[in-house]
Amino acid sequence: MTATFVVRHPRGWALGAVTDTAPAVASLGDVLDALRRAGATPAGPAGGERTSPGASPVVPLAPSDVVAPVWRWVGAVTADGVVIEGNDGVERVLDQDDLRLLDRLDGPRVVRELAELTGVHDAAARLGDLAAAGRLRTLAPGAPEPWALPGPDDVDVVGDLGPDLRLPPEDRRCPTDPARIGVHAVWQERVGPALALGMLTASARAWRGGALGEHYDIRRPETPSEFLGALAGGEGPAVLLCSNYLWSLDHNLEVARRAKELRPGLVVVHGGPSTPKYEDDAARFLETHGDVADVLVRGEGEHTLCMLLEALAPTLPALDRDRLRDVPGLTFRDPVDGAVVRTAEPERVADLDALPSPYLTGEFDHIDPGAWPFAVSIETNRGCPYGCTFCDWGSATLSRIRKFSAERVLAEFEWVAARGIPGLQLCDANFGILARDVDLARGLADIRRRTGSPTGLGFTPPKNTTRHITRIFDEVMDAGFLISTAISLQSIDEQTLAAVDRSNISTDHYLAMAADLRRRGHPLMGDLLLGLPGQTFESYRRDLQFFVDHQIMARTWVLKVLPNSPLNEPGYRARFRLRIDDQGLVTSTAQLSPAERDRALALRRAEIIANRLGVLRHVGWFLHWDHDITLTALLDHLLAVTAATPERFPLLTWLCAQFDLHPTAPVGWRAFYGEVGRLLAEDFGLDPAASDLLTVLRLQRALMPAPGRRLPQTVELDHDYERYHREGSATLLTTGRASTPPRPLAAYPPATFTVTGDPLQLCELGLHFSGDSRDLVFEGDFAIGQNTANELASPLMVRLPVFSGAAPRPVDATDAALVG
C-alpha cells in the first residue's frame, strides 16, 4: 500500500501520498476517509482510549487551560491511526477523537470549550498528552497565537507582481498640464521605486537647461494608480517610460495596456535589460507587443530619451515617429510601411556626473521611505571589464569602468540614511574592484555609525580579484551592517569556464579570502549557475561538492537567458545547442540533456535540505571523513532510491519531496534518522549498531528544531563529535582549504553535547520560505537561502541568516563554535 501522510498546520489539513508532487488541501473528513482506506476502525485503537506506550504518565489539562496549535506537524496514516512522534521520542497513534480535537483547535481555545465542541469525554487527558508530545501548546490567558510568520499556505510569491491598477478617487487624480505632453515613469509597488526611472526623469528635466519642459510635463516617478489617474483626468498624447527587467516586464506591459485604453495616443518607450537588442528578437518583441511597444531603446537610456523627446517636440501635439530615425539607440516600426527601423548604435555616457542624481535632485522626495520594501539601489560606477557570456550588466560588459564621483555617491548614501531606509544595494558589477571602493565603504560605515541607517547592505564582489574585499568587509562589518553578498564562481570546471568566457578568482585566492572572512565571523555564500554551456551533471556535482567540502553555503541559480547577453546571440546558441523555454530558462545544452538537468535540479534541492538546512549535514561529514562517501554521492544515491522505490524509505522520500512546503520531520526525527541509519546499513554497508554511526545520528536529532521543543538540552554521546568536527575543519580558518580529522570518530572519547537555545524561534514559529519554492524564474528563499536558516544554537552552529540581526564575531583557528 502507498504510504500516506497527513499535515496539520494552524490553517487546516493537507493530505498526500508519498509519491505525490504536493499534499492537497484536505478536511477532517478527508483525513478520516484516508484512515478508513488504510483499515482503521471508526473508533480507533483501544475503543477510543488512546495510550502511548513508553510515554510519561498523562497529566490532564485543567478545564480552564488555554491551548493553541503549533506551527506544523506531519503524521503517517496507518491501520491503527495517524502515527506521530513526540519530542520525547515516543511514538503515538492519534485516533478519531484526537483528530476531532485538533480539527477544532483552529486558534486559542479553552479546554472546557474544546471538549464541549467535540463531545470527546476525555478531552483534558488527550490534550495534555498532545501538549507533552509537542503537537499543541498551552497559553496563558490572553496570550497571542504562537505563529507569526507566513507559511507555505499563504506564500508571498515574488514572481506574482501584478500591478495595482485601480484608479484613484477623482479628488486624488493629478492630470498633466493640458498645454504640455505628460512624460510618465511608473514603478512597481511590490518592488519599490526604480533607480533607472529616476535617472531618466531627472535627465529629461535637466536636458539643455530644462528646454524639454517647454513641451513636456516631465512627471516624477509614479505608482500605476497615480499614472492612470493622471491619464483619466486628461486627453491627447502622452509618453510612458518602461524600464524592463526580468521581474518588471509583464508588469510594465499590463500597465501600458490599461493606459492605452485611456489614452490611445500614448507612446510607450521600452528600455532596460529585458528589452531585446538583437535584431530578430527586437522585431519579435515589436510584433508580439506592438499595441503597447512603440519604441525600444538600446544601451544607456538617459541621453537617448532626451534626444527622442527632442526629436518629437517640433510636431507636437502630433507625435511623428518618423522623426526618430536620426536618434541613435532606437528600434521601432516605420509608421508608413511597418518595416523595423534600427538606428545607429549609441555612445556610452563618458562623464557620469553629468547625469543628475535622482536622489539629490528630488525625483524621489515625494515618495514615502516605506515604499522601498527591499533596498534603495545606488550605482558607484558603470561598466565591467569581463565578458561572461551569461551576463548582461546593463549591456556594459567588456567595457571600461566609468565612475560617479565619490562626493556624489556619499551624498546619496546620506540621502538614504536621512530617510531611515533600512536596505542599500550597490548596483556595481564588481564592487571592490577599485581601490576607492574601500574609501566608499569607510564613508558608508561612518554614516551608519552616526545615523544608525541603513542596516542592510548588498553588493556583488569582483570576479577575479580579492585585493580590496577583506578591507571592505572589515569597514562595513565593524559598523554593524548585515551584509548580503556571495562570491560568484558560477563554476570551477575549466571546460565550462572556457565556454562562457569566464575568468575566475584562482582557487587559492578564493579559499584564502574565505578563510579571512570566516575568521571575521562572516557567513559565507557562493554562487553557482546550472545550465551553463559546457556543463555536465558531473561537473555541476563537483562544483557543489567543492562548496560542501569548504563549508561555504552554495546558492545555485538556474540559468536564465537574458535577452541582451552574449548567451542569446543566435550563433552562440546554435554552437552550444541551447534549448530555452518560454520563460527564458535553459532546459538543455549540447552537454546537458533535459534528464541530466532535472537530475541536477533534484540534487540542488537535496543539498539545500541536507546541508544548508542541516538535516544530514553531520551525517555527510562523518561519511566523507570516515568512509570516503561524499555528500553529493550520498544524495544522488538517495534520490535514485526514493524515485525508484519510494515505499522503501517513505520518510526519506517524503522529506526529499516536501520539505520546502512542510519543513519538519515526517512522523518525527527519531523515526526519520532511524530510516537514515537503515539506508546506510543496507546500501553502504555501515554497521547499524556501531557507536560512531549512532553518535552522529543522535547528534543530528538533537540539532533539529521541532514544534514545542524545550531548550537547552544536553545529550550523552559515545564519541566527542564536537572535537572531531572542530579538528576536521581547523584548516578552513587558516589556509581555507578542506582537511580531515586526525582520527576517525570512533577513536574519540565519550562527551556531552548541549543545544543551548533557539535564537530564530524555529520551535515556536517554524521554518518558512518567502516566495515560491518551486518557481525556477522568480526563485523563492528556499532556493536562494538569503533569509532563512534551520539552526538551533550549539557549538556547531554554522551561520545565522541576515534577518536574525545577530552580529558576527571574529574567531581564530582554535575556535570551535564557528567554522563556516
Side-chain angles (χ1 to χ4, degrees):
M1 176 177 284
T2 301
T4 300
F5 292 88
V6 59
V7 180
R8 180 62 182 172
H9 53 85
R11 300 162 186 84
W13 302 93
L15 194 65
V18 70
T19 53
D20 287 346
T21 303
V25 174
S27 65
L28 174 62
D30 296 327
V31 175
L32 297 178
D33 286 344
L35 286 172
R36 293 186 190 99
R37 289 193 297 273
T41 60
E49 296 288 346
R50 181 172 60 77
T51 60
S52 303
S56 301
V58 173
V59 178
L61 298 181
S64 60
D65 283 342
V66 178
V67 291
V70 293
W71 58 273
R72 194 168 306 266
W73 55 263
V74 179
V77 174
T78 71
D80 294 322
V82 174
V83 176
I84 63 167
E85 178 188 291
N87 292 332
D88 52 9
V90 175
E91 196 173 88
R92 291 163 168 82
V93 180
L94 308 186
D95 64 16
Q96 177 177 270
D97 284 346
D98 297 312
L99 299 174
R100 288 169 58 203
L101 286 166
L102 291 167
D103 182 66
R104 298 308 296 264
L105 190 61
D106 51 4
R109 295 274 192 182
V110 176
V111 170
R112 181 189 303 107
E113 173 194 14
L114 203 55
E116 293 171 354
L117 286 171
T118 60
V120 176
H121 73 281
D122 58 345
R126 290 173 178 271
L127 293 171
D129 193 41
L130 288 169
R135 294 305 178 264
L136 60 83
R137 57 178 295 168
T138 58
L139 296 178
E145 296 178 350
W147 57 91
L149 298 176
D153 339 293
D154 52 356
V155 167
D156 175 20
V157 181
V158 175
D160 180 16
L161 297 175
D164 176 5
L165 295 177
R166 294 169 296 179
L167 291 173
E170 291 283 351
D171 60 358
R172 292 183 56 197
R173 296 183 187 178
C174 184
T176 55
D177 182 344
R180 297 180 296 165
I181 290 178
V183 177
H184 303 263
V186 178
W187 54 275
Q188 277 175 285
E189 292 178 84
R190 294 187 66 181
V191 175
L195 169 61
L197 293 175
M199 292 292 295
L200 292 172
T201 57
S203 295
R205 198 181 314 283
W207 183 254
R208 303 194 196 283
L212 292 174
E214 179 182 349
H215 304 286
Y216 298 98
D217 180 9
I218 300 166
R219 313 224 343 156
R220 303 192 189 280
E222 303 168 289
T223 66
S225 63
E226 290 168 342
F227 164 57
L228 296 176
L231 293 192
E235 57 185 22
V239 178
L240 171 62
L241 310 179
C242 296
S243 184
N244 295 331
Y245 294 82
L246 183 70
W247 55 85
S248 63
L249 176 60
D250 290 342
H251 170 276
N252 290 340
L253 291 171
E254 181 60 24
V255 170
R257 288 188 186 97
R258 298 292 184 91
K260 283 272 194 178
E261 294 172 1
L262 294 171
R263 293 279 192 95
L266 179 73
V267 173
V268 185
V269 181
H270 289 271
S274 289
T275 300
K277 70 177 182 182
Y278 292 114
E279 291 189 35
D280 290 346
D281 291 343
R284 278 192 294 272
F285 190 92
L286 289 171
E287 178 68 27
T288 303
H289 305 295
D291 57 330
V292 288
D294 297 294
V295 181
L296 310 184
V297 174
R298 305 188 305 278
E300 293 172 318
E302 291 92 352
H303 287 175
T304 301
L305 170 66
C306 295
M307 289 186 280
L308 182 155
L309 295 175
E310 204 170 43
L312 293 176
T315 64
L316 298 178
L319 294 173
D320 184 357
R321 293 169 179 77
D322 193 48
R323 297 179 55 83
L324 302 181
R325 292 177 181 272
D326 294 331
V327 178
L330 303 182
T331 306
F332 58 95
R333 287 198 176 277
D334 186 289
V336 177
D337 60 14
V340 175
V341 177
R342 183 184 179 90
T343 66
E345 293 304 307
E347 294 182 0
R348 297 191 188 278
V349 179
D351 178 11
L352 291 183
D353 281 334
L355 301 176
S357 165
Y359 300 114
L360 307 181
T361 57
E363 291 301 305
F364 296 125
D365 283 359
H366 63 294
I367 298 175
D368 187 280
W372 281 270
F374 305 111
V376 170
S377 297
I378 287 179
E379 295 177 292
T380 81
N381 65 56
R382 288 183 182 177
C384 178
Y386 312 117
C388 312
T389 62
F390 52 82
C391 185
D392 170 41
W393 206 282
S395 293
T397 53
L398 282 176
S399 68
R400 69 177 181 85
I401 296 175
R402 296 155 292 144
K403 298 176 287 188
F404 293 95
S405 70
E407 294 76 17
R408 168 183 171 139
V409 172
L410 291 171
E412 291 180 333
F413 291 167
E414 294 278 8
W415 185 93
V416 176
R419 283 153 183 78
I421 300 173
L424 172 62
Q425 179 70 40
L426 301 181
C427 297
D428 307 359
N430 301 275
F431 185 71
I433 197 171
L434 303 174
R436 77 152 193 173
D437 293 344
V438 178
D439 297 326
L440 292 177
R442 184 178 300 116
L444 179 59
D446 290 342
I447 290 170
R448 165 150 173 76
R449 290 189 190 93
R450 176 164 38 85
T451 68
S453 291
T455 56
L457 174 64
F459 62 90
T460 301
K463 313 300 183 288
N464 69 351
T465 177
T466 61
R467 183 178 177 188
H468 307 302
I469 283 296
T470 53
R471 293 176 61 197
I472 288 172
F473 272 103
D474 283 344
E475 293 290 349
V476 294
M477 290 175 66
D478 184 65
F481 273 100
L482 301 175
I483 303 171
S484 168
T485 190
I487 308 301
S488 300
L489 279 187
Q490 274 75 54
S491 176
I492 58 172
D493 179 69
E494 292 299 329
Q495 177 179 324
T496 305
L497 294 173
V500 298
D501 296 338
R502 177 58 187 254
S503 175
N504 262 349
I505 301 171
S506 74
T507 301
D508 287 341
H509 281 102
Y510 180 85
L511 295 178
M513 179 182 64
D516 281 345
L517 298 180
R518 190 178 281 113
R519 287 193 297 271
R520 289 162 168 79
H522 182 67
L524 297 174
M525 290 187 289
D527 282 343
L528 296 173
L529 283 175
L530 175 58
L532 290 169
Q535 187 180 56
T536 65
F537 171 79
E538 285 302 326
S539 69
Y540 171 69
R541 188 168 75 86
R542 287 193 298 270
D543 287 341
L544 195 57
Q545 188 64 45
F546 174 86
F547 282 113
V548 173
D549 289 345
H550 296 91
Q551 299 187 30
I552 298 169
M553 192 189 94
R555 193 166 62 173
T556 300
W557 302 85
V558 179
L559 182 59
K560 305 168 185 69
V561 176
L562 305 177
N564 300 325
S565 66
L567 199 72
N568 198 37
E569 191 275 321
Y572 187 94
R573 288 178 57 169
R575 175 185 167 198
F576 288 100
R577 300 204 303 273
L578 299 186
R579 296 292 180 265
I580 302 168
D581 67 15
D582 57 5
Q583 294 180 300
L585 299 173
V586 172
T587 58
S588 67
T589 70
Q591 293 79 25
L592 190 71
S593 69
E596 292 290 88
R597 175 187 180 264
D598 290 345
R599 185 181 173 196
L601 280 171
L603 182 62
R604 175 185 82 155
R605 177 191 185 88
E607 189 278 334
I608 290 169
I609 298 168
N611 189 40
R612 182 197 302 168
L613 298 174
V615 173
L616 292 173
R617 182 185 298 149
H618 298 286
V619 169
W621 285 116
F622 166 67
L623 292 177
H624 191 182
W625 286 337
D626 285 12
H627 296 276
D628 200 27
I629 302 167
T630 65
L631 179 66
T632 55
L634 169 69
L635 297 179
D636 193 38
H637 174 82
L638 173 60
L639 292 167
V641 167
T642 55
T645 54
E647 301 293 340
R648 185 178 166 208
F649 302 106
L651 304 186
L652 279 163
T653 302
W654 172 272
L655 185 125
C656 287
Q658 309 296 349
F659 196 75
D660 62 320
L661 301 180
H662 302 290
T664 190
V667 179
W669 289 116
R670 180 189 291 273
F672 173 80
Y673 287 115
E675 273 199 1
V676 173
R678 185 160 61 86
L679 169 78
L680 296 177
E682 295 177 8
D683 292 16
F684 292 92
L686 273 67
D687 179 0
S691 60
D692 52 358
L693 176 58
L694 294 177
T695 290
V696 79
L697 292 177
R698 188 172 193 195
L699 174 104
Q700 281 280 186
R701 185 158 65 93
L703 289 171
M704 288 295 100
R709 185 175 169 192
R710 297 290 181 260
L711 298 169
Q713 180 183 2
T714 298
V715 295
E716 300 286 340
L717 300 178
D718 290 333
H719 305 287
D720 190 346
Y721 181 89
E722 180 185 336
R723 183 177 175 187
Y724 166 81
H725 189 272
R726 180 179 70 243
E727 292 179 353
S729 306
T731 56
L732 296 178
L733 292 162
T734 54
T735 66
R737 288 202 163 273
S739 60
T740 59
R743 49 193 169 145
L745 179 58
Y748 285 77
T752 60
F753 181 84
T754 300
V755 179
T756 56
D758 183 9
L760 305 182
Q761 296 183 281
L762 294 163
C763 297
E764 181 177 4
L765 301 178
L767 178 62
H768 303 273
F769 306 109
S770 61
D772 185 345
S773 64
R774 302 189 177 185
D775 186 340
L776 297 182
V777 177
F778 297 99
E779 297 182 273
D781 204 56
F782 174 78
I784 296 171
Q786 187 62 54
N787 296 309
T788 48
N790 196 35
E791 300 276 350
L792 298 178
S794 82
L796 296 172
M797 177 177 275
V798 173
R799 62 181 289 273
L800 286 173
V802 172
F803 74 80
S804 71
R809 61 182 179 83
V811 298
D812 59 36
T814 63
D815 195 297
L818 192 64
V819 295

